[in-house]
Each structure stands twice: as C-alpha cells, then as structure tokens.
C-alpha cells in the first residue's frame, strides 16, 4: 500500500520568498514615493527656478515651452537673468491642485519672497505619461512670457539690473521670465532718475510698466546758474544806461556822465527748470540790479550822485543734452550765455 507523503517546504526557501516579496514591496513603495517627490509637477517648477537663478535661460525656456514676445531679450539669459533672480528667496512649490476641468492638468502655486515681500506665482503643467511603469512625466502648458515696458525722457538708454538698455523714442520693452525683479534707473551729467523696481509674478496681456522720473542734476542746475551769472556780469560791465542785449535799463531826462555809470548785481535769479512739451524749459528769471551814476539837471546844471535799485525780469531758452547745456536769454536780444 502506497502512502503519499508531502515533503515540507524548507524554511530557508520560505524565508527567501518572503524576503523577495518584501523587497519588491519596498521597491514599489520607494518608486511611488519618489514619483510623488522627484517626478511631481512641483519638482519641475523648482527645477525651473533653479535654472533661472543660475542664468540658464535656454534651459529654462525649453522647460517652460513659452513664446518670447518682441523686445530686447537681454534679461532672458546670462548675468542679467541671474540678477533678476537675486531678490527671489525662500522659493517653495508645495501646493498642487488638480484642474477641475481637466484631470491631466495640475496648477502649482509657488510661494517666495521678492525683496523681502511675500509673493506667489502659478504654473500649469500637463501629465504626459509615465516612464519605467511608475514615474509620471509632466510638461508646462505652453504660454507667453510677460513683458516689462520701460519709459524715460531725455536719455537714450537706461540701466536695468546693471545692464545698459537702449531706448527707442524713450521706450524699451523687455520680455522676462517669472518670477523676476527688475530695477531700472539712469544717471548722466545733467539728468538722473532714481531706481524704480517691479516684481513680475506671471504672464499678463499688458506689460508691467516702469516710468522713470527724470530729474535735473545739481551739476545741470549749477551749469545754468554759472552761465546766467556770467551773462549778467557781462551786462553789468557796460557803462551805459541801457546795456545792450541785457534785461536791465535806467531812464532819465537828466544828462549823465557815462564815466560815472556803474551797474552791479544785488541778487541773481533763482534757477528753476521743468520738463514741458518734450523739452526742458527755464522758468522766468528775475534779477535785482543797481546803477550808480551822476545826473546833471539840464535846467540848473546841478549834479547829483544817485544809486537806483530795481528788479528786472527776463526769460531764456535752454538747449540741452545729457552732457551739455546752452542758455540763450530771450529778452534784450539773442546774446548767448556762454
């Protein structure tokens, strides 16, 4: 009589089998965890920001799949791009939401500080498949980069994040990545504009605008003041009652010995310039002048030493550039104040 006997499974083989199952479970769990972290849409956003901070505009543009609007592309690569990111700190992208209208889309909200101020940007990414069975692949939805429009009068170029940018008719448009911080200013011998900064947080149909306020420099005002003073001093040297091409004069019916005439300036004009209708204009000028002279009465022949002080007004036209200025007094002729 034959009796079937079951050979017991060796304990060692059972242990190896359990270990293999556990290892596979760990590998699958690790892959799923890695997929949630390293292959997530948020991770791609952080990678994009790293490329921007490093000044790698080509790689960033490839990731973002964005169209570049017309304009000066100086802020899209290299040192200038890296400078636009210097004010961006504490960048995190840990808020991901499913688009309610498309389950393959994710909206990632990144939070950061721009110049110490809390800001945020949003990115839309599409699920494009899987690699190695477990790992999701994502791609940014195509978009158009935002632009910054910089406007300034009087000058032909401005400084943007340390880079000189030419202006055309006082305007320049720069396509930029986001987020970015742009600072614009300029400084010349005669004119300057304080730094104005903007933070670009995302695409927009309209450009972000920077309007620089041009101000005359102290050197510019001093140059005008010097030319006006020299002009008036030249007028005061003329020993006549009505100096030629000058704003002041003295009228009398008495006889005056010309050798006794002596003009002096008691108070020079205050220089006040402003920008009007596309040009720099000088406000009306007022000078206080005195004339010393000896008058002789035509009837009696008596002589009298007199000093007469009065205020006189005149205007002047300015012709300016960023380094030069010409002053042409209008009242009393076309004598140029050199």
């Amino acid at each position: 009589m034959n009796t079937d006997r079951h050979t017991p499974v060796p304990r060692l083989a059972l242990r190896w089998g359990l270990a293999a199952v556990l290892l596979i479970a760990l590998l699958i769990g690790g892959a799923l965890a890695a997929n949630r972290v390293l292959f997530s849409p948020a991770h791609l956003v952080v990678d994009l920001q790293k490329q921007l901070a490093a000044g790698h505009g080509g790689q960033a543009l490839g990731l973002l799949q964005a169209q570049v609007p017309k304009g000066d592309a100086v802020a899209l690569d290299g040192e200038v791009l890296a400078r636009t990111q210097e004010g961006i700190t504490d960048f995190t992208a840990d808020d991901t939401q499913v688009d309610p209208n498309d389950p393959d889309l994710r909206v990632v909200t990144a939070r950061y500080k721009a110049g110490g101020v809390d800001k945020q940007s949003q990115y839309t990414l599409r699920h494009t498949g899987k690699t190695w069975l477990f790992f999701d692949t994502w791609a940014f939805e195509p978009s158009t980069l935002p632009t910054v429009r910089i406007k300034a009068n009087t000058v032909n170029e401005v400084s943007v994040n340390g880079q000189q940018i030419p202006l055309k008719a006082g305007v320049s448009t720069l396509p930029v990545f986001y987020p970015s911080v742009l600072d614009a200013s300029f400084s010349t011998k005669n004119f300057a504009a304080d730094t104005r900064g903007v933070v670009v947080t995302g695409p927009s149909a309209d450009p972000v605008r920077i309007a620089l306020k041009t101000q005359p420099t102290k050197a510019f005002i001093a140059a005008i003041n010097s030319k006006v003073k020299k002009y008036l001093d030249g007028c005061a040297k003329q020993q006549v009652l009505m100096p030629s091409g000058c704003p002041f004069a003295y009228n009398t019916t008495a006889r005056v010995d010309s050798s006794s005439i002596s003009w002096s300036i008691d108070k020079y004009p205050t220089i006040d310039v402003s920008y009007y209708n596309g040009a720099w204009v000088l406000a009306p000028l007022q000078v206080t002048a005195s004339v010393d002279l000896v008058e002789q009465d035509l009837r009696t022949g008596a002589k009298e030493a007199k000093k007469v002080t009065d205020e006189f007004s005149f205007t002047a036209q300015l012709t300016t550039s960023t380094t030069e200025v010409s002053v042409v007094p209008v009242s009393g002729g076309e004598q140029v104040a050199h």
Side-chain angles (χ1 to χ4, degrees):
M1 180 176 180
N2 294 330
T3 303
D4 292 335
R5 294 184 178 180
H6 297 282
T7 304
V9 178
R11 291 184 178 181
L12 183 59
L14 180 59
R15 290 175 180 175
W16 276 108
L18 291 174
V21 171
L22 180 60
L23 178 60
I24 292 172
L26 289 174
L27 289 174
I28 293 175
L32 293 175
N35 184 59
R36 287 193 298 269
V37 177
L38 300 178
F39 295 88
S40 67
H43 183 77
L44 201 59
V45 170
V46 172
D47 186 36
L48 170 65
Q49 182 59 29
K50 289 179 179 178
Q51 298 295 337
L52 296 180
H56 298 159
Q59 292 89 324
L61 196 60
L63 280 175
L64 199 54
Q65 300 189 84
Q67 292 185 347
V68 180
K70 292 182 179 180
D72 191 328
V74 67
L76 295 183
D77 196 33
E79 291 185 9
V80 181
L81 170 58
R83 291 185 201 127
T84 68
Q85 302 300 307
E86 289 177 351
I88 306 297
T89 58
D90 302 335
F91 189 95
T92 59
D94 51 12
D95 184 358
T96 302
Q97 302 294 328
V98 179
D99 189 306
N101 299 317
D102 190 335
D104 285 334
L105 290 182
R106 298 292 185 273
V107 178
V108 178
T109 300
R111 293 179 173 82
Y112 49 89
K113 293 184 183 297
V117 179
D118 290 332
K119 297 287 184 179
Q120 67 179 40
S121 296
Q122 288 190 327
Y123 307 81
T124 302
L125 297 92
R126 179 173 293 278
H127 185 253
T128 57
K130 288 183 178 291
T131 58
W132 298 95
L133 298 178
F134 298 105
F135 304 122
D136 291 313
T137 57
W138 300 89
F140 287 91
E141 282 285 87
S143 60
T144 301
L145 292 180
T147 57
V148 175
R149 185 176 187 268
I150 302 171
K151 182 179 181 181
N153 60 45
T154 307
V155 295
N156 295 321
E157 63 179 17
V158 298
S159 174
V160 178
N161 293 68
Q163 178 69 37
Q164 294 301 116
I165 305 295
L167 302 179
K168 184 176 181 180
V171 175
S172 183
T173 299
L174 281 67
V176 296
F177 287 103
Y178 63 94
S180 61
V181 179
L182 272 77
D183 296 316
S185 64
F186 67 84
S187 179
T188 67
K189 178 182 177 181
N190 287 342
F191 304 101
D194 291 337
T195 300
R196 291 201 61 187
V198 294
V199 179
V200 182
T201 59
S204 174
D206 298 319
V208 178
R209 300 178 185 274
I210 299 178
L212 295 178
K213 185 178 181 181
T214 304
Q215 296 286 0
T217 63
K218 291 181 179 179
F220 180 67
I221 299 299
I224 297 174
N225 189 65
S226 176
K227 293 175 185 294
V228 170
K229 184 177 183 296
K230 186 176 181 180
Y231 159 70
L232 292 173
D233 288 344
C235 290
K237 291 179 180 179
Q238 299 184 42
Q239 283 189 295
V240 293
L241 296 180
M242 300 180 66
S244 175
C246 298
F248 39 80
Y250 176 70
N251 295 306
T252 180
T253 58
R255 179 181 289 118
V256 177
D257 181 0
S258 62
S259 64
S260 70
I261 299 173
S262 177
W263 286 96
S264 60
I265 308 299
D266 299 313
K267 184 179 180 181
Y268 290 95
T270 299
I271 304 302
D272 182 18
V273 297
S274 59
Y275 192 76
Y276 176 74
N277 200 26
W280 288 94
V281 295
L282 188 59
L285 302 166
Q286 187 166 290
V287 57
T288 302
S290 296
V291 60
D292 291 280
L293 49 80
V294 176
E295 289 185 338
Q296 184 178 23
D297 189 284
L298 295 177
R299 184 173 59 85
T300 65
K303 294 184 178 181
E304 179 185 6
K306 298 179 67 175
K307 180 174 183 177
V308 180
T309 301
D310 205 349
E311 293 183 346
F312 304 91
S313 297
F314 67 105
T315 59
Q317 292 180 342
L318 298 180
T319 302
T320 66
S321 70
T322 56
T323 57
E324 302 294 334
V325 58
S326 172
V327 182
V328 180
V330 175
S331 296
E334 293 297 315
Q335 180 177 344
V336 177
H338 296 286

